[in-house]
Each structure stands twice: as C-alpha cells, then as structure tokens.
Amino acid sequence: MNLVLLGPPGAGKGSQAEVLSQRLNIPHVSTGDILRQNVKDDTSIGRRAREYMQKGELVPDEIVIKMVEEFIGSQFLKNGFILDGFPRTLEQAERLDRLLTKLNKKLDLVMDFKTTNPVIIERLSGRRICENCAANYHIKNIPPKVEGICDKCGGKLYQRSDDKPETVLRRINLYYKDAAPLIEYYREKGILESVCGDLGIEALYKVIIDTFLKNLLYDPN
C-alpha cells in the first residue's frame, strides 16, 4: 500500500503515520524528520535547509524532491510507504508520479487532514523534543514525568524554533498557499479522501481504517 498524508503542520499526520506504520507494517517516510536529521548532521543539504526552517518557511522544492527521490527509490520501500509531508506542492506531486511510474508503482490513496488553526497552534506550541534521543512530548497531552526532562534518557527537553506560536501561524499560511492546487490534483485523479484532523489519535485512526475499507485497501482479517 502506497499512501500520502496531506495537511498543515500539526494536523496529526505524523502521529497517524506512526500508528499505521506499526499496525500495517509499512515504512513511515517523514520529510520533516529527514530534513531535520540532515540539519543535525550538518550535511550540505541540511545547511541549505536550515536557513528556511529557522524562518518558518518551506524548504524549496529542489532540496526536498532530490532527497525524497533517493529515499523512495531505495529497497527499504519496496513493499509500500506512508509519505508524510510530501508532496506539498503541485510540482512535487507531478515529480512523485513520474518517479513512481518509473518504478512501476502508484499511489493507492491520498488522505487530506482537515484541521482548524486553534487546534494546530495548541498542538505544536506545546510540543517538546528531547535534545538527546529526539523523543516527543506535549506539555498538555503527553507530559514527561518530570517537567523539562525526558522519561527515556534523562535528556533536556526543548521547544523547536518552528513550533513557537507566531512561527506556527506563518507555517500554516504557507501550507494553504500551495495546498489548493495539490488537493485538486489528487481529487481529479479520484484517490483523495478527507478526514478530520481535529480528532484524537484513536478516533482518527478508526476513521482512517474505515476509509481504507471503503476503498478496499485493507483486510481486517
């Protein structure tokens, strides 16, 4: 099964992708995680991406496309994938289609997470990351046992610069600027389904599985 999850930052795509990856045994490919790893490793592509990410701006297509093309072409994804955060523009969608055609693959379903701004801002501004092991927490929904300290390794928790409220709102606006033609592109292909990203993790997971069943992409047995 080859899936694409669309939606603004904080829509719940990453959380659902992790659950689906474990339960369906399909790799989760997060372009955001890959980019941040490149930034952390101070690679050439990471240094270029850092300038945009620190400003809360989208990383240019040329950087993201090159990275994703190399990853999708690997044997790691031979049995399917869940793409989270890509494509985010019409050009990226067209490039992805050409790549999948070349690899004799296709997208089975694109899920559009409809989410309201207040929910997104609360989710992202409350997120905290461990500086050592990169474990994720939330000051309200998934708080650590000791404030500011990672449960897993004892590392210090921090707030990413692109999770601050003013930056989150800018990221949301940038997303919607490019999202309309992208959503229409997949709607015309007949593979787009919309779900409510404001739902909690388990409630939204049930909606997603029901969507799979409707599209005959999932056998519960």
Side-chain angles (χ1 to χ4, degrees), residues 95-187:
R95 288 280 292 271
L96 175 61
D97 277 349
R98 291 198 292 271
L99 174 63
L100 293 177
T101 297
K102 181 179 178 182
L103 297 173
N104 198 30
K105 298 180 179 182
K106 66 179 181 64
L107 288 180
D108 295 300
L109 192 66
V110 176
M111 308 203 78
D112 178 29
F113 286 54
K114 300 290 188 184
T115 315
T116 56
N117 286 4
V119 170
I120 293 173
I121 292 172
E122 179 183 354
R123 284 176 178 171
L124 294 189
S125 63
R127 183 164 59 181
R128 298 295 183 269
I129 312 295
C130 176
E131 63 181 7
N132 290 335
C133 70
N136 281 269
Y137 296 87
H138 191 280
I139 58 176
K140 179 181 178 181
N141 301 328
I142 317 174
K145 295 177 181 177
V146 178
E147 184 177 353
I149 302 298
C150 178
D151 295 346
K152 298 180 179 180
C153 71
K156 182 179 179 181
L157 303 183
Y158 73 98
Q159 183 183 44
R160 283 178 8 200
S161 60
D162 56 352
D163 281 345
K164 294 180 179 179
E166 62 275 13
T167 307
V168 169
L169 186 58
R170 186 159 59 247
R171 291 168 64 196
I172 293 171
N173 291 334
L174 285 170
Y175 169 79
Y176 283 120
K177 179 181 177 181
D178 293 320
L182 181 62
I183 291 171
E184 185 59 29
Y185 176 77
Y186 285 123
R187 180 177 288 113

Side-chain angles (χ1 to χ4, degrees), residues 1 3 19-20 22-26 108-109 205-221:
M1 187 188 303
L3 306 174
V19 173
L20 290 169
Q22 294 175 1
R23 297 184 182 180
L24 303 179
N25 195 28
I26 304 173
D108 295 300
L109 192 66
Y205 174 76
K206 183 178 184 304
V207 170
I208 291 174
I209 292 301
D210 287 344
T211 302
F212 288 170
L213 291 171
K214 183 179 75 172
N215 287 275
L216 303 179
L217 295 175
Y218 179 65
D219 182 357
N221 299 314

Side-chain angles (χ1 to χ4, degrees), residues 29 67-78 81 83 86 96 99-100 103 105:
V29 183
M67 174 190 67
V68 173
E69 285 182 341
E70 293 177 355
F71 202 80
I72 290 181
S74 69
Q75 284 294 105
F76 176 62
L77 303 180
K78 63 181 180 180
F81 55 77
L83 274 178
F86 184 94
L96 175 61
L99 174 63
L100 293 177
L103 297 173
K105 298 180 179 182

